[in-house]
Amino acid sequence: MFPAPVSGTIKAAPLLRRWVERLRELGVKFQTNHQWAGIGTDNQLIFRHDTDTFTKSHDRIILALGGASWPETGSTGHWVKLLENQSIKIHPLTSANSGWEVDWPAPILEEAEGQPLKNLELRAGNEKRRGELVITRYGLEGGPIYHLGPRLRSMDQPAVIVDFKPDQSITELVDRLGKAQRNFVREARRRWKLDSGAAALLKHLPDRGPWKSAEQLAREVKHCRIPLDQPRPVTEAISSAGGVCWSELDDNLMLKKLPGVFVAGEMIDWEAPTGGYLLQACFATGTRVGKAALSW
Ligand SMILES: Cc1cc2nc3c(=O)[nH]c(=O)nc-3n(C[C@H](O)[C@H](O)[C@H](O)COP(=O)(O)OP(=O)(O)OC[C@H]3O[C@@H](n4cnc5c(N)ncnc54)[C@H](O)[C@@H]3O)c2cc1C
């Protein structure tokens, strides 16, 4: 029986309990606190459990060991070394769907740390994404910057261009500022409904301002360049890019160098945005290897 919604929502815990129950009914045995520590001859798996190390033979093996983000969940990426020992090529695991670091001037943090930047359009090269960002102590977080991660990682000098008012043209913005002749940012806060976070950036980002005209400020609001340092560490990212290279796999996601050993999920070299796409790719590759392992 599929868990029924309680007050309109399905909670994760009952879903997981029911899933585990179903797997037990199908004969699945769970061995928790066993760490896979390598592959011996004839695909024997080496495990560590408490202080013991032992090997086990299996007809077919599916590895689904995840990436390297959030290691506290067990996904430490230690398998990279183990598979590299078998001469399997792995693209290094790096942060995907992660925040980016910015060396904010102190006044920006004083005025805007934790503030949202709403309804903006973010651009990296020729890719753009609408949404919301948050100014954090170390940089920027939020959906649009996660989405642009692959493009940003490919840049020598990563930077984003923010359009704080994507639905208004420069002319419209200038018209709305009316006869203002000074205190342009303060006037823009009121007349353009500019976020306090955006106002802090316009006041304190280096090499900008002081603003001498409404048009000058409007141009910046539509095209505010923020140089980025680097993505946050992979341990804090939502997912990892990199993993087992596709060239190491056959069409059934079996390792060509280790016949009978299949891989699924985030440990393969793909990446996807959040919003269900990562889980979908894990389910899709899991289904594929499940079927392939059965018929191998
Ligand atoms: C905070 C957060 C939010 C997320 N939100 C979303 C979202 O909204 N939408 C979405 O689609 N995806 C989301 N994801 C990503 C998604 O959860 C992952 O992509 C997915 O769980 C990866 O599945 P997997 O089976 O490949 O690996 P994992 O789920 O990481 O599972 C790997 C398992 O292998 C075990 N393991 C690793 N090494 C060993 C070893 N040597 N021996 C024994 N066991 C080992 C680990 O303990 C772990 O249980 C989110 C991830 C995080 C961290």
Side-chain angles (χ1 to χ4, degrees), residues 182-224:
R182 58 195 140 91
N183 297 330
F184 292 105
V185 175
R186 200 173 68 197
E187 290 296 323
R189 283 268 288 132
R190 196 164 54 87
R191 300 191 200 202
W192 295 348
K193 295 191 173 30
L194 205 61
D195 295 325
S196 55
L201 297 184
L202 293 166
K203 277 192 282 176
H204 303 301
L205 275 173
D207 312 323
R208 288 345 112 108
W211 308 106
K212 295 202 174 73
S213 70
E215 186 181 337
Q216 203 188 20
L217 182 62
R219 285 191 186 284
E220 184 68 17
V221 159
K222 300 282 297 168
H223 196 275
C224 176

Side-chain angles (χ1 to χ4, degrees), residues 84-101:
E84 279 178 344
N85 288 345
Q86 303 291 324
S87 308
I88 290 164
K89 280 194 223 98
I90 319 277
H91 278 147
L93 298 176
T94 50
S95 310
N97 291 295
S98 72
W100 279 72
E101 296 181 4

Side-chain angles (χ1 to χ4, degrees), residues 34-37 47 64-67 69-70 73-79 82 237-239 264-267 270 273-280 282:
H34 283 63
Q35 193 196 9
W36 175 56
F47 286 101
L65 303 166
S69 68
W70 284 52
T73 63
S75 308
T76 57
H78 284 163
W79 57 263
L82 305 179
I238 288 175
S239 62
E266 215 181 293
M267 62 186 295
W270 53 267
T274 53
Y277 300 100
L278 290 150
L279 288 172
Q280 177 59 40
C282 292

